[in-house]
Amino acid sequence: MVYVRSRKFCCCLPVRFGVFVMSLAALLFGGLVAIAGWIEVKDIHEHPIDQAEATALYIHAAIFSILALVGAFGLFGAISKQTGLVSLFGWMLGFHLGFSIATGVYTIYTLFKRNPEEALANCINGSDDPTVIHSCQEGLKILKIIVVTAYCVSWLFELYGYIIVNAYVKQLQEEESVNVASNPNAPMTHYVPPPSNYAFTQSAQAQGNQA
């Protein structure tokens, strides 16, 4: 029986385990960051911010929501060991990575380009309540830290995950090739000669015979 060498990552771990862990982490990490992002979106009504920042916040929440969905899809593919699903998961992961980098750069730029005092004034919205002022000050700082950290971690995570998924797809393709080659029950086509009394097997009726 022919065995296919199991590809590894981190020196000793099988790539299937890597795909499983990466997809599960994408599901959990993307889901948590998305929830935090949508909570921030919800708070826009209470603490108004600039339209550009609001747009960036919506994009941020949507991107990580999509990451959670991609992770769920990859988790199913890793469990089922279907080459097509795992390959599609890799394609989705690569596409999401490129789109996330493009939108993430815009989001980070939008958050940092504006005057902090102006952003704080919009958040306070004329309130004299010390609690509101403190909440806005800390909230803006925490928001920037969360956004930058989340994007940097997710980019590195997705890039490495994309490499692992591609390695696992190649392994599955090799396993399928070996299974097809070694399957004794695979249907085969044999030539079956016609019976001897078949009319057109007689020499007198052969092509080119002269009567």
Side-chain angles (χ1 to χ4, degrees):
M1 183 176 181
V2 180
Y3 291 95
V4 176
R5 179 181 62 86
S6 177
R7 297 173 184 261
K8 309 292 183 182
F9 76 102
C10 291
C11 300
C12 60
L13 299 176
V15 288
R16 185 188 180 192
F17 176 74
V19 173
F20 177 82
V21 171
M22 298 292 284
S23 57
L24 180 61
L27 174 62
L28 298 178
F29 176 74
L32 290 175
V33 176
I35 290 173
W38 290 117
I39 291 176
E40 292 288 341
V41 169
K42 177 178 173 293
D43 290 341
I44 290 178
H45 300 289
E46 299 178 5
H47 306 290
I49 58 177
D50 183 77
Q51 182 60 40
E53 293 179 354
T55 301
L57 195 56
Y58 272 102
I59 293 175
H60 167 76
I63 282 294
F64 283 93
S65 298
I66 295 173
L67 178 61
L69 293 176
V70 171
F73 193 88
L75 188 63
F76 179 75
I79 294 174
S80 62
K81 291 186 65 176
Q82 296 186 28
T83 306
L85 290 178
V86 178
S87 179
L88 184 58
F89 168 59
W91 180 87
M92 292 171 63
L93 195 62
F95 178 81
H96 183 272
L97 174 60
F99 188 69
S100 176
I101 291 175
T103 56
V105 169
Y106 169 77
T107 301
I108 294 173
Y109 171 75
T110 302
L111 287 176
F112 282 89
K113 76 169 185 175
R114 195 174 177 202
N115 188 331
E117 295 181 358
E118 183 180 354
L120 180 60
N122 281 341
C123 179
I124 295 173
N125 198 25
S127 175
D128 295 328
D129 188 346
T131 303
V132 174
I133 296 175
H134 178 73
S135 176
C136 286
Q137 289 174 336
E138 295 301 318
L140 291 173
K141 293 178 183 178
I142 294 174
L143 176 62
K144 291 179 180 180
I145 294 173
I146 290 177
V147 169
V148 174
T149 303
Y151 273 114
C152 291
V153 171
S154 67
W155 291 340
L156 293 175
F157 178 81
E158 288 185 64
L159 178 60
Y160 194 46
Y162 180 74
I163 296 173
I164 293 175
V165 171
N166 280 343
Y168 185 46
V169 169
K170 292 179 181 179
Q171 177 180 316
L172 289 176
Q173 291 173 342
E174 291 176 0
E175 291 176 355
E176 289 181 353
S177 299
V178 169
N179 289 337
V180 170
S182 61
N183 184 8
N185 297 321
M188 299 182 64
T189 302
H190 299 278
Y191 171 71
V192 179
S196 58
N197 60 350
Y198 183 63
F200 294 99
T201 59
Q202 304 301 319
S203 58
Q205 295 174 325
Q207 183 177 2
N209 181 66
Q210 301 295 328

